[in-house]
């Protein structure tokens, strides 16, 4: 078996040659072009992201040119997983879940369509395998395994690859977030206004896109990659950098696992393109584009879900809702997600401060409090989208429940604002004024809290 080494680094170039060079290393940053012509990205190795200080030599006229990061592909990790799937017992002992835990996990799966589903508890009960366990269950209950004649072992292998390529050290953008988005997507696919029109292909695309929409997220946002001249920003010309990376990485894993290899070539090409369209729709910078289009459709009453293009558009909207639905969860779970995403923001801000870079919006722990970040996010991003989603669903029980949780959670965060930032009578923060465009722009430019 051949092993390959790849040079992988993204450099920050400083004017002062005495400063160090920081490399941000991500998975799958080598592009592959498969038979279908859609560029994919090769999977990388553990650890998933590596913030390293590479001491610059004073004898070199260029910073970072003599020190590259070289790492093996994840053959050992992948080979270990494949051995388990083939039934080969490893030498090291396996720590299996107690039957009581498995029983509780199975009981939770029987209620997977409930909005109060606790993904954090489910992840603990499955020993950190919430994404794999959830997707196997949903593929089975939706009849996708039978319909597409999928091999169960191959499906499991693919889902393990996806789960492992999320960065567990990210407080927010990790496999638990992917599982949470997938469970939300499942709930949205069951909405009566949508469900009766969906084909098995629509359902599979929706679940796959939800599961893989943030795969290999580095824990920093697009502006960070751009200003540090990361090679992925150059590769995708500063446009939907992370979303393109998530999509191409997903294609790479689909091909590596050969999950869909038995399907006609034209069908796999279509699946790859539609997955890309869905994942790219999660770019927060395209929020107004999709919201304006949705409002126009609802105003004109011209959505025809019998049409594949309109149906695909509503799948995009459903995925966008699932991706940012945390403020619409019950307070206990919503609060935990909010703290996690802000912790990820603050880590980026600390990194930027350490390397004397401008601190990105929402990433300054000294100035950007969790309540203020969340209130802005809810006001300018979440509320407008979910109001239109409720309009589309005919104000279904689920959509009304989500809006109720959203209002309650927003009130909770307002009560936690520092005294000097408490809202005035019109509901706008005193220190900002009512609904400024600058605040909306700041929220949009950051990652979705």
């Amino acid at each position: 078996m051949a092993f390959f080494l790849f040079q992988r680094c993204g450099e920050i170039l400083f004017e002062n040659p005495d400063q160090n060079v920081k490399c941000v290393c991500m998975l799958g940053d080598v592009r592959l072009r498969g038979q279908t012509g859609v560029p994919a990205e090769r999977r990388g190795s553990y650890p998933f992201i590596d913030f390293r200080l590479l001491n610059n030599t004073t004898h070199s006229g260029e910073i970072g040119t003599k020190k590259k990061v070289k790492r093996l592909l994840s053959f050992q990790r992948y080979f270990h997983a494949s051995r388990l799937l083939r039934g080969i017992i490893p030498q090291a002992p396996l720590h299996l879940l107690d039957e009581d835990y498995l029983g509780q996990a199975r009981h939770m799966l029987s209620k997977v369509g409930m909005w109060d589903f606790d993904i954090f508890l489910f992840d603990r009960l499955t020993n950190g395998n919430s994404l794999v366990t959830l997707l196997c269950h949903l593929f089975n209950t939706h009849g996708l395994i039978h319909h597409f004649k999928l091999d169960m072992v191959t499906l499991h292998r693919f889902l393990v690859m996806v789960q492992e390529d999320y960065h567990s050290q990210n407080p927010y953008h990790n496999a638990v977030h992917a599982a949470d988005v997938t469970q939300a997507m499942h709930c949205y696919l069951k909405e009566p206004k949508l469900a009766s029109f969906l084909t098995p292909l629509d359902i599979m695309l929706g679940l796959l896109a939800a599961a893989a929409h943030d795969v290999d997220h580095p824990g920093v946002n697009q502006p960070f990659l751009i200003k540090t001249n990361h090679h992925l920003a150059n590769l995708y010309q500063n446009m939907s950098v992370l979303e393109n990376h998530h999509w191409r990485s997903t294609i790479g894993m689909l091909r590596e696992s050969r999950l869909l290899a038995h399907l006609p070539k034209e069908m796999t090409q279509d699946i790859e393109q539609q997955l890309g369209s869905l994942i790219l729709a999660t770019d927060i910078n395209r929020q107004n584009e999709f919201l304006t289009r949705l409002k126009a459709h609802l105003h004109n009453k011209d959505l025809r879900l019998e049409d594949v293009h309109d149906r695909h558009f509503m799948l995009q909207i459903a995925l966008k809702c699932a991706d940012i639905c945390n403020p619409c969860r019950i307070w206990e779970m919503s609060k935990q997600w909010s703290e996690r995403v802000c912790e990820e923001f603050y880590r980026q801000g600390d990194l930027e401060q350490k390397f004397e870079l401008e601190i990105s919006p929402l990433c300054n722990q000294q100035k950007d409090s969790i309540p203020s970040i969340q209130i802005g996010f809810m006001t300018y991003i979440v509320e407008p989208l979910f109001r239109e989603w409720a309009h589309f669903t005919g104000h279904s029980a689920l959509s009304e429940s989500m809006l109720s949780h959203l209002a309650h959670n927003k009130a909770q965060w307002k009560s936690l604002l520092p005294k000097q930032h408490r809202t005035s009578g019109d509901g706008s923060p005193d220190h900002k004024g009512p609904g400024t465009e600058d605040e909306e722009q700041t929220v949009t430019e950051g990652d979705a809290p």
Side-chain angles (χ1 to χ4, degrees), residues 141-385:
T141 56
H142 283 287
L144 301 177
I145 297 172
H146 174 74
H147 182 85
F148 292 101
K149 296 180 173 55
L150 301 177
D151 179 74
M152 193 62 202
V153 173
T154 306
L155 173 63
H156 189 273
R157 182 186 302 128
F158 167 73
L159 295 177
V160 168
M161 291 164 66
V162 172
Q163 180 174 271
E164 288 186 347
D165 281 3
Y166 277 93
H167 302 193
S168 60
Q169 69 268 38
N170 288 346
Y172 183 83
H173 289 104
N174 51 42
V176 185
H177 166 65
D180 184 62
V181 172
T182 303
Q183 189 271 336
M185 190 67 168
H186 168 65
C187 292
Y188 299 157
L189 294 177
K190 292 172 56 183
E191 284 282 15
K193 289 283 187 179
L194 185 61
S196 59
F197 296 97
L198 296 176
T199 67
L201 179 58
D202 294 327
I203 296 172
M204 185 172 74
L205 285 168
L207 295 177
L208 284 178
H213 80 284
D214 272 332
V215 73
D216 195 33
H217 196 293
V220 293
N221 60 18
Q222 175 173 291
F224 181 92
L225 298 180
I226 293 174
K227 68 185 175 184
T228 56
N229 196 31
H230 193 276
H231 75 96
L232 284 178
N234 296 324
L235 178 64
Y236 297 117
Q237 300 179 339
N238 299 342
M239 296 293 294
S240 299
V241 175
L242 287 170
E243 291 75 23
N244 270 297
H245 178 62
H246 305 323
W247 168 35
R248 303 297 168 78
S249 297
T250 303
I251 292 175
M253 288 183 284
L254 276 172
R255 294 176 182 173
E256 182 179 341
S257 68
R258 297 185 59 79
L259 176 65
L260 308 177
H262 62 289
L263 299 178
K265 180 179 178 181
E266 295 75 14
M267 188 176 187
T268 58
Q269 287 179 331
D270 180 58
I271 289 172
E272 290 181 352
Q273 292 291 352
Q274 290 201 60
L275 278 176
S277 178
L278 289 169
I279 293 174
L280 289 174
T282 63
D283 186 349
I284 198 68
N285 292 304
R286 301 180 65 191
Q287 186 77 3
N288 288 335
E289 169 195 338
F290 281 93
L291 185 59
T292 301
R293 185 177 166 192
L294 177 60
K295 285 181 177 179
H297 277 305
L298 296 176
H299 176 75
N300 298 328
K301 299 181 180 179
D302 60 359
L303 272 175
R304 300 290 180 265
L305 295 181
E306 301 88 349
D307 180 78
V308 64
H309 301 292
D310 284 0
R311 208 161 57 242
H312 183 77
F313 172 69
M314 289 314 302
L315 283 178
Q316 290 176 310
I317 296 296
L319 182 57
K320 289 180 69 64
C321 287
D323 191 26
I324 62 171
C325 73
N326 300 150
C328 301
R329 297 284 192 179
I330 62 174
W331 169 249
E332 291 75 17
M333 286 194 288
S334 179
K335 181 173 181 286
Q336 187 170 167
W337 283 121
S338 299
E339 292 169 344
R340 284 169 173 258
V341 75
C342 289
E343 171 62 24
E344 197 165 294
F345 288 170
Y346 297 152
R347 287 186 184 184
Q348 176 177 322
D350 291 344
L351 193 64
E352 290 167 330
Q353 185 177 37
K354 181 176 182 178
F355 289 99
E356 300 180 5
L357 300 168
E358 180 182 359
I359 298 180
S360 298
L362 312 180
C363 296
N364 191 331
Q365 190 167 4
Q366 306 305 316
K367 297 181 179 179
D368 303 310
S369 68
I370 298 178
S372 63
I373 291 174
Q374 291 305 306
I375 291 170
F377 180 59
M378 292 176 178
T379 301
Y380 300 113
I381 302 296
V382 183
E383 285 179 349
L385 181 60

